[in-house]
Amino acid sequence: QQQVKQSPQSLIVQKGGISIINCAYENTAFDYFPWYQQFPGKGPALLIAIRPDVSEKKEGRFTISFNKSAKQFSLHIMDSQPGDSATYFCAAPTGGGNKLTFGTGTQLKVEL
Amino acid sequence: NAGVTQTPKFQVLKTGQSMTLQCAQDMNHEYMSWYRQDPGMGLRLIHYSVGAGITDQGEVPNGYNVSRSTTEDFPLRLLSAAPSQTSVYFCASSKQGRDQPQHFGDGTRLSIL
């Protein structure tokens, strides 16, 4: 069973600051690491994903950094905005097919 | 295009009652799954299906049944509700393939008294 450890559990950032969320995984056999974003009352939605053949992927203000040797990957939100306030989940493939193991989530609040 | 639709949005049950949570998708996705979300525990996989007629257990299957008679529908049945099953339940669907994004419904908030 793939374990994914996510930290911190909650995070408060000032508007314009950088939000950083970290995840660590155990099994090195897998090749796809997504981040999901969830707003209150809604289901999670894919935000950004990375394959471990690259060390970084950037989409707008969101960047995933991947450290294969340390078995860690992190989400960086640059110029954080109040609209980024949400819960963020990292995930990693578990077994075959489409199964994912999710981290425990990080509740981000961006203050004005 | 409705995506993934879950009903009901809220439900209160008494211990021992049974009920079915409905999930339907209109994207012709082969893969469907059920998760429960509890504070501090993230999303945990209950059951999943790779196509009509095929289901399998996830991480926390006890107390739940599923069936997949059509591509579109994947209902989750609570056989005899227990307070420990109080949670928010999410259904998701995706195309086959590990790098395919999973599309989630907006959840069913279930309370067991």
Side-chain angles (χ1 to χ4, degrees), chain B residues 14-16 30-32 34-35 38 69 78-80 99 111:
Chain B
K14 294 181 179 179
T15 297
E30 302 93 340
Y31 183 84
M32 296 186 73
W34 277 100
Y35 293 88
D38 302 290
S69 57
L78 278 69
L79 308 173
S80 178
D99 61 349
S111 294

Side-chain angles (χ1 to χ4, degrees), chain A residues 1 9 30-32 36 38 41-44 46 51 89 93 95-100 102-104, chain B residues 31 35 37 40-43 45 48 57 59 90 94-102 104-106:
Chain A
Q1 177 73 23
Q9 185 174 355
F30 300 118
D31 58 1
Y32 174 71
Y36 281 77
Q38 183 184 30
K42 298 293 185 180
L46 180 66
R51 293 187 176 277
F89 294 96
N98 294 43
K99 290 197 298 180
L100 292 174
F102 285 85
T104 52
Chain B
Y31 183 84
Y35 293 88
Q37 183 176 13
M41 304 190 74
L43 294 154
L45 183 65
Y48 66 98
Q57 297 180 350
E59 180 184 356
F90 288 98
S94 68
K95 296 180 181 179
Q96 288 288 17
R98 196 149 59 209
D99 61 349
Q100 294 298 315
Q102 297 202 15
F104 285 81
D106 285 338

Side-chain angles (χ1 to χ4, degrees), chain B residues 3-83:
Chain B
V4 177
T5 302
Q6 290 185 239
T7 56
K9 294 189 183 302
F10 304 93
Q11 185 71 48
V12 178
L13 292 178
K14 294 181 179 179
T15 297
Q17 288 185 314
S18 62
M19 81 159 294
T20 299
L21 279 61
Q22 301 292 343
C23 176
Q25 53 94 6
D26 61 359
M27 297 172 281
N28 201 32
H29 286 166
E30 302 93 340
Y31 183 84
M32 296 186 73
S33 55
W34 277 100
Y35 293 88
R36 58 178 290 174
Q37 183 176 13
D38 302 290
M41 304 190 74
L43 294 154
R44 293 182 292 168
L45 183 65
I46 304 172
H47 285 285
Y48 66 98
S49 169
V50 298
I54 305 170
T55 64
D56 206 346
Q57 297 180 350
E59 180 184 356
V60 289
N62 292 340
Y64 308 95
N65 274 356
V66 292
S67 59
R68 185 95 180 269
S69 57
T70 67
T71 298
E72 295 79 18
D73 300 300
F74 191 44
L76 177 73
R77 297 182 184 85
L78 278 69
L79 308 173
S80 178

